[in-house]
Amino acid sequence: MRGTTAATRSLLSGPPSGRGGTSSTFALLASVIGFFVITLDALIVNVALPTIGDDLGGGMAGLQWVVDGYTLMLAALLLSAGAVSDRIGARQAYGLGLAVFLVASAACGFAPSLPTLVAARFVQGAGAAVMMPATLAMLREAFPDAGARTRALALWAVGGSVGSAAGPVLGGALNQVSWRWIFFINVPVGIVALLLLARVARSPRRSIPLDWIGQVTAVVAMGGLTYGLIEGGEYGFGRPEVLIAFALAAVALVVFVADQAKSAHPMLPLSFFRSRIVVACLTAGFALNIGFYGLTFLLSLYFQDQRGLTALQTGFAFLPMTLATGVVSLVSASAVRRFGAKPVMIGGQALMALGLLLLCALSASAPLGLVIILMIPVSCGGALAVPAMTGLTLESVPAEQAGLASGALNTFRQFGGALAVAIFGALIAGGSFYSGMRVSLVLGAVLLALTAGIGLLRPTRR
């Protein structure tokens, strides 16, 4: 069996087909588009950061918040967004989250100041958080057959991989018109998704309680840690507000864990951490997003501030990586069928770690072409690992906990991206850009190696 089940190994073995016929097709298309724009907006802004800084002002900390305001809210709210999706129905939750996302996108585009832009990014992330689990829940409803559902899941994962990889390219192109179009572009895409959603049957509702203590403490813990890292990197880690932020994060984390242990309906069941397979998937998702989001953030600044490229040229520098990601995303399912989900996931982590180390070894004056080539293994590693990691996570928990497991996985992934921007930004702001960049890349590679080691451990018997 090579560590996986027949369901995972059947990814993309044929076209998905659900009981709902045309409605299933519309549900799949709406879900793919939704996941595409969610991941796109986590990265599309990176290449426009220098332009935004010139237009609206703000130092490195302000630009980091433009990125992390979105990913932080997405990560923090994903834990309870699955319960919201169950309470009001997946289709209805998707429509609500998409409406909030589109309004916030327009507000980002019209933002007159950096604080307004950051605030709108927080709201945009909240809308994305409601959408994310709803996309998966709609697929579960539309494709009750396990084989068809795993193939639909593979296509869903392709949408996310393409969105992540296309972000820098599309951002560089739209920045030629105005950085504001980076956010305005969401509106027509979102309208198409809403039109597709109108053809999807309404979802049933379930009476699922919300864990307010867990949600509030999760936001405080993630927000406090991110705030401390960003502000500490810009202004010094000894400042009182930075120390208070770290203390609040620590206290909130303790309260969160205690709440999850005693809650009858936890957002993050601690039983997940008794399964080494689930732990391996969660930590892999965390490390993969640190590597990918962190590298995209660093290279967007590197190409423009250190090598003198324009935003458009920077976007094109990411194009080979984008094309390679799309190809690998499509063939990753075949690799899962042949080798098993866990080996593919670990192989993707190893490939990304290798790419980060190779980039770290380059000199400051390395040919740009070589830098662009060495970016490809980083993105391909992530594209190879994500579908396998997602399927393996869902198969390693009871069916009734699939929504909680997917929310946990995506929370770990998005919080990894937020921490990457916070930590890597602090490292390059505290001294030489090149030395900070090298330390960041080594940290990312080491973390990927450590989390891959977790996946190599013998799985806990269930």
Side-chain angles (χ1 to χ4, degrees), residues 34 39 49 56 94 99 125 133 139 160 173 182 193 202 231 251 260 270 282 322 339 346 349-350 369 372 449 458:
T39 54
L49 290 177
L56 301 181
Y94 181 93
L139 291 182
I182 289 173
R202 287 182 63 86
E231 299 299 317
V251 172
Q260 298 305 289
L270 300 186
L282 295 180
T322 301
F339 302 106
I346 295 172
Q349 291 173 269
I372 293 170
R458 175 180 289 183

Side-chain angles (χ1 to χ4, degrees), residues 127-172:
V130 176
M131 291 169 60
M132 177 80 85
T135 61
L136 285 170
M138 283 200 304
L139 291 182
R140 190 176 184 87
E141 293 171 3
F143 300 96
D145 175 72
R149 185 166 61 248
T150 51
R151 291 191 289 272
L153 176 63
L155 295 175
W156 174 86
V158 168
S161 297
V162 173
S164 295
V169 180
L170 188 57

Side-chain angles (χ1 to χ4, degrees), residues 48 51-52 55-56 108 111 117 174-175 178-183:
T51 306
I52 293 173
D55 192 11
L56 301 181
C108 288
L117 175 58
L174 293 174
N175 191 71
S178 170
W179 64 263
R180 298 179 184 277
W181 275 101
I182 289 173
F183 304 106

Side-chain angles (χ1 to χ4, degrees), residues 163-399:
S164 295
V169 180
L170 188 57
L174 293 174
N175 191 71
Q176 291 300 109
V177 181
S178 170
W179 64 263
R180 298 179 184 277
W181 275 101
I182 289 173
F183 304 106
F184 288 145
I185 193 64
N186 291 329
V187 177
V189 177
I191 290 174
V192 171
L194 286 174
L195 292 174
L196 292 170
L197 190 66
R199 304 294 300 275
V200 178
R202 287 182 63 86
S203 299
R205 302 182 180 188
R206 292 195 297 158
S207 179
I208 302 295
L210 295 177
D211 183 1
W212 292 107
I213 295 177
Q215 181 59 84
V216 171
T217 52
V219 171
V220 173
M222 294 183 193
L225 179 58
T226 306
Y227 177 90
L229 290 171
I230 290 177
E231 299 299 317
E234 180 77 4
Y235 304 110
F237 287 97
R239 293 174 66 91
E241 58 268 31
V242 173
L243 297 176
I244 291 173
F246 284 140
L248 282 175
V251 172
L253 177 60
V254 171
V255 176
F256 175 81
V257 173
D259 175 73
Q260 298 305 289
K262 68 179 182 181
S263 175
H265 302 280
M267 299 186 303
L268 182 61
L270 300 186
S271 60
F272 286 173
F273 298 96
R274 291 197 290 268
S275 167
R276 286 180 184 166
I277 294 179
V278 175
V279 171
C281 291
L282 295 180
T283 55
F286 179 80
L288 286 166
N289 269 34
I290 281 186
F292 185 75
Y293 280 46
L295 182 68
T296 304
F297 174 76
L298 289 174
L299 291 185
S300 296
L301 299 176
Y302 165 78
F303 284 135
Q304 296 179 72
D305 295 343
Q306 305 298 318
R307 303 301 294 264
L309 271 62
T310 65
L312 180 61
Q313 290 170 330
T314 298
F316 278 116
F318 282 97
L319 184 59
M321 183 179 80
T322 301
L323 297 176
T325 298
V327 173
V328 174
S329 295
L330 292 174
V331 302
S332 63
S334 298
V336 168
R337 291 198 304 273
R338 182 170 182 179
F339 302 106
K342 194 164 78 167
V344 171
M345 180 181 74
I346 295 172
Q349 291 173 269
L351 182 59
M352 179 178 284
L354 176 62
L356 293 177
L357 290 176
L358 291 175
L359 285 168
C360 178
L362 295 179
S363 66
S365 58
L368 284 174
L370 182 58
V371 177
I372 293 170
I373 291 173
L374 293 182
M375 292 161 56
I376 295 176
V378 177
S379 65
C380 288
L384 189 66
V386 168
M389 176 179 63
T390 304
L392 193 58
T393 300
L394 296 179
E395 291 178 0
S396 301
V397 300

